[in-house]
Amino acid sequence: MSNSLLVQATILSPNHSGRRNQKITKIAIHHAAGVINGRNLAGVFVPRSRRASANYNLGSDGVIVLGVDEANRAWTTSSSWCDNRAVTIEVGNSTRGPQWLVSDYVLNRLIDLATDICRRNGIYPCTYTGGKDGVLQKHEWYKNTNCPGPYLGSKFPYIASEVNKRLRGDKTVSKPTSALYRVRKSWSDIKSQKGAFKNLENAKRCADRFGLKVFDANGKIVYPVGKTIDQLAREVISGKWGNGEERKRRLTQAGYDYKEVQRRVNQLV
Ligand SMILES: [Zn+2]
């Protein structure tokens, strides 16, 4: 038995049962219920008091961190039956509830990882049957939980079909990271990165949420620079910036003059 070569870091959790007592025949995909990078996500499961873990932690930044060796049974799905058979994956979200979105980039990384798990463990086809008999498993079938959330949950048939395409030899891989839009405080402040997105609209949503900026592959700001007060006022009216104190805080954090924007809003409504 082996671990995936897609792993970019190893932050092992002590929370597991040792060797699994079943052959790997399943993959349980969870969502982290949070926007969190791969290393921090793995770190959540390091304290023994947490009494939980996952074989792989795929962060909102697309970074894959090994948490429990594949050979061992992780404590992820609230089911000995499932976790003994399944390689388990926690996936970081790009937004919080109620939608709990996952970025296209992270979804693609997840498909890469699931493909690799199937390939090394002789699983084909990768099935989603909507039940415990299929390969792809949902936490909510074993426990009263909202995991993996409405968005990721709706993608299970797509994930299965993409994995099978790749297993059949379609060499589609994740877009090179250089083509991504990165959401950071500044280009040089790599640690401030909250996400990397193929889709500019998703990157903008993330930037708005955290009061950050979107940079292209060359480090050029593509958002929110160049927005006029008028554009911002119309965004406020359409609800993009929330209300009251939240609106004030988010506009200010994004580097805008809240009073000026609000004045234009009052003129327009
Ligand atoms: Zn879960």
Side-chain angles (χ1 to χ4, degrees), residues 169-201:
D170 183 340
K171 293 286 182 241
T172 318
V173 287
S174 300
K175 277 207 169 176
T177 50
S178 61
L180 296 170
Y181 293 104
R182 290 161 198 284
V183 179
R184 297 179 184 172
K185 201 180 282 179
S186 67
W187 180 245
S188 59
D189 189 354
I190 294 161
K191 278 191 170 169
S192 70
Q193 182 165 310
K194 283 286 182 188
F197 300 85
K198 268 193 306 190
N199 181 308
L200 180 58
E201 289 310 309

Side-chain angles (χ1 to χ4, degrees), residues 30-31 76 90 139 145 147:
H30 298 249
H31 80 147
T76 325
E90 285 282 355
H139 197 176
T145 166
C147 183

Side-chain angles (χ1 to χ4, degrees), residues 144-172:
N144 185 14
T145 166
N146 291 322
C147 183
Y151 178 77
L152 191 54
S154 75
K155 290 293 181 189
F156 275 46
Y158 169 75
I159 293 165
S161 106
E162 287 301 302
V163 167
N164 289 327
K165 268 191 220 167
R166 293 177 194 193
L167 287 173
R168 282 193 301 265
D170 183 340
K171 293 286 182 241
T172 318

Side-chain angles (χ1 to χ4, degrees), residues 98-119:
Q99 284 195 288
W100 303 111
L101 298 180
V102 170
S103 75
D104 292 349
Y105 176 63
V106 169
L107 188 63
N108 212 18
R109 293 287 286 161
L110 174 61
I111 292 164
D112 284 344
L113 180 57
T115 303
D116 176 65
I117 291 164
C118 287
R119 193 172 279 141

Side-chain angles (χ1 to χ4, degrees), residues 14-267:
N15 304 321
H16 62 80
S17 308
R19 288 284 155 138
R20 54 175 81 240
N21 63 23
Q22 299 289 325
K23 187 172 179 276
I24 293 170
T25 52
K26 298 181 184 297
I27 300 173
I29 300 171
H30 298 249
H31 80 147
V35 181
I36 182 166
N37 73 43
R39 286 177 175 82
N40 288 347
L41 179 54
V44 165
F45 302 112
V46 170
R48 284 184 187 276
S49 58
R50 182 82 188 193
R51 302 198 61 75
S53 62
N55 292 113
Y56 295 100
N57 301 280
L58 166 53
S60 306
D61 54 354
V63 171
I64 298 172
V65 182
L66 182 72
V68 173
D69 283 322
E70 261 184 50
N72 291 334
R73 182 220 150 178
W75 299 348
T76 325
T77 320
S78 321
S79 160
S80 166
W81 187 89
C82 182
D83 283 339
N84 270 302
R85 290 168 171 79
V87 173
T88 66
I89 307 170
E90 285 282 355
V91 182
N93 303 95
S94 60
T95 70
R96 294 190 54 83
Q99 284 195 288
W100 303 111
L101 298 180
V102 170
S103 75
D104 292 349
Y105 176 63
V106 169
L107 188 63
N108 212 18
R109 293 287 286 161
L110 174 61
I111 292 164
D112 284 344
L113 180 57
T115 303
D116 176 65
I117 291 164
C118 287
R119 193 172 279 141
R120 283 181 298 103
N121 291 286
I123 299 169
Y124 183 83
C126 176
T127 54
Y128 174 68
T129 66
K132 297 176 183 178
D133 57 326
V135 171
L136 297 186
Q137 299 289 296
K138 289 184 178 178
H139 197 176
E140 64 190 14
W141 298 339
Y142 298 94
K143 193 192 176 186
N144 185 14
T145 166
N146 291 322
C147 183
Y151 178 77
L152 191 54
S154 75
K155 290 293 181 189
F156 275 46
Y158 169 75
I159 293 165
S161 106
E162 287 301 302
V163 167
N164 289 327
K165 268 191 220 167
R166 293 177 194 193
L167 287 173
R168 282 193 301 265
D170 183 340
K171 293 286 182 241
T172 318
V173 287
S174 300
K175 277 207 169 176
T177 50
S178 61
L180 296 170
Y181 293 104
R182 290 161 198 284
V183 179
R184 297 179 184 172
K185 201 180 282 179
S186 67
W187 180 245
S188 59
D189 189 354
I190 294 161
K191 278 191 170 169
S192 70
Q193 182 165 310
K194 283 286 182 188
F197 300 85
K198 268 193 306 190
N199 181 308
L200 180 58
E201 289 310 309
N202 291 340
K204 286 179 178 176
R205 221 173 295 139
C206 178
D208 286 346
R209 170 152 198 95
F210 294 102
L212 299 173
K213 300 184 179 76
V214 180
F215 298 86
D216 70 11
N218 300 315
K220 183 172 166 273
I221 298 179
V222 293
Y223 180 84
V225 159
K227 262 193 195 181
T228 64
I229 295 297
D230 203 68
Q231 282 173 324
L232 285 165
R234 286 173 204 282
E235 286 183 4
V236 165
I237 291 163
S238 74
K240 255 189 102 175
W241 294 88
N243 291 305
E245 278 305 306
E246 187 203 352
R247 178 188 297 173
K248 187 174 179 179
R249 177 178 53 78
R250 286 174 53 193
L251 281 167
T252 306
Q253 277 181 0
Y256 295 118
D257 185 338
Y258 166 74
K259 277 187 186 162
E260 208 181 331
V261 175
Q262 194 58 46
R263 195 178 304 129
R264 183 64 184 140
V265 168
N266 295 341
Q267 285 170 352

